[in-house]
Amino acid sequence: MSKKLKILVRKFGPFEQIVSDFWAQYKQRSGVDMELEMVPLPLPELHAAILIGDFDVAHVNTDWLAECWSKGCLENLAPYIASDPPEDYPEGWATALLKLQTFPDGVAGIPFHDGPECLIYRKDLFESPAEKAAFRKRYGAELTVPATWEEFARAAEFFNRPEQNMYGTLFALYPDGHNNVFDFALQVWSRGGDIVDPSGKLTLNSPEAVAAMTAYRELLAQPFIHPRSRELESIGTCWAFARGEVAMMVNWFGFATMCETVEGSTAKGCVDIAPVPHAAGYAKPVSLNVYYTWSVSAKSAHKQIAYDYIKNAVTRENDATLPMKGAIGCRRSTWLDPHVNAVIPYYSRMEQIHSYARTLPRIPQWHAVSGIIDNMVIELIETQEPAQQIMDRAQAQVDEILSRA
């Protein structure tokens, strides 16, 4: 029998440190005679490794849960939870963080890291009297945190100062099957459309979606977009913001909190959040909720130890340490923790954001579908082909995949 517990980790320094710290804590508390084998992987490789099943514990993105569950890759944790539940389970978590891993025949994981999408901005810039006066002189209007996409573009134009290595905004456009997909959903939702029609069909090419992506394409062509956006995935955009290279961005809540806690952040104490901008005339707030779970492999030879490790990792005490380590605590108690909110003043707004955050379709084919959406967005960025044609082609590919279900 192996003397190591193998944990697949989303390749990201804070996540890796958390897994290591929690293992050392669990080993000391339990006396278990095993070592940690941590395998940090980028998202595509992590997804593939989870499907193979050669692990004990893994960070599973909720986008993958339906596929992993349908293929029998993950252990059903329901019996473990029933006999020995985590502290305050399930009441300690918002319902929004328990739905995606819960299936009619079991539970695929326990929340690890969360943080829905929001507008992250430099409050020192937006609140500066000098900047306000300059904005008023240039535009004849008051400088405020943008509520609409039109206001967002104008503020980005105003703060675009490439000679100072600061740009108005940026988007994570690296084609990894995630960031472009998330931005597609947010752009459509925030402009009054949907990606699922009233009959429940996944629809990429509705008139509202085509109009939204046409507007997004025009936004990305503006000179105030960070020039490295095309090569940055979400973590890269966080570091660009932390280095002071952008005035604002639509991104994950967790990246706002990271800027308050990670070493080397020049934005510490200068960050605030607001709702994702929306189209003029459509003021309904939107956000996207995607999170990671701690999950156990169905093939693990150490299932009880794997569950015990997870149960130890998600205590109130440990969850409250995540924001200080560069991750996001998932418990309500962490969201309201006075110490956490003293360091990250907007942390208590998590409950409010979750109240209107939406989720992507939970279907086993989502990984394949997300690849098509990713390619669709890249074609919109890199070509001048009419959006309708690109999106019609993507819709046909999605229909073909789903028809084989």
Side-chain angles (χ1 to χ4, degrees), residues 134-153:
F135 188 90
R136 190 182 306 114
K137 181 177 179 180
R138 182 171 174 180
Y139 297 101
E142 295 301 314
L143 174 61
T144 58
V145 177
T148 68
W149 286 114
E150 291 79 5
E151 293 168 354
F152 179 88

Side-chain angles (χ1 to χ4, degrees), residues 8 50 57-62 65 74 77 97-98 100-102 107-114 290-296 310 314 330:
L8 305 183
I50 291 169
V57 177
H59 289 161
V60 181
N61 188 296
T62 51
L65 282 171
L74 303 179
L77 298 186
L97 292 179
L98 298 174
L100 293 178
Q101 69 270 36
T102 302
V107 176
I110 297 171
F112 159 58
H113 167 81
D114 178 40
V290 175
Y291 54 97
Y292 285 88
T293 64
W294 295 101
S295 296
V296 176
I310 292 171
V314 301
C330 294

Side-chain angles (χ1 to χ4, degrees), residues 260-275:
E260 306 285 8
T261 60
V262 297
E263 185 177 350
S265 172
T266 64
K268 190 173 297 185
C270 301
V271 183
D272 207 343
I273 65 165

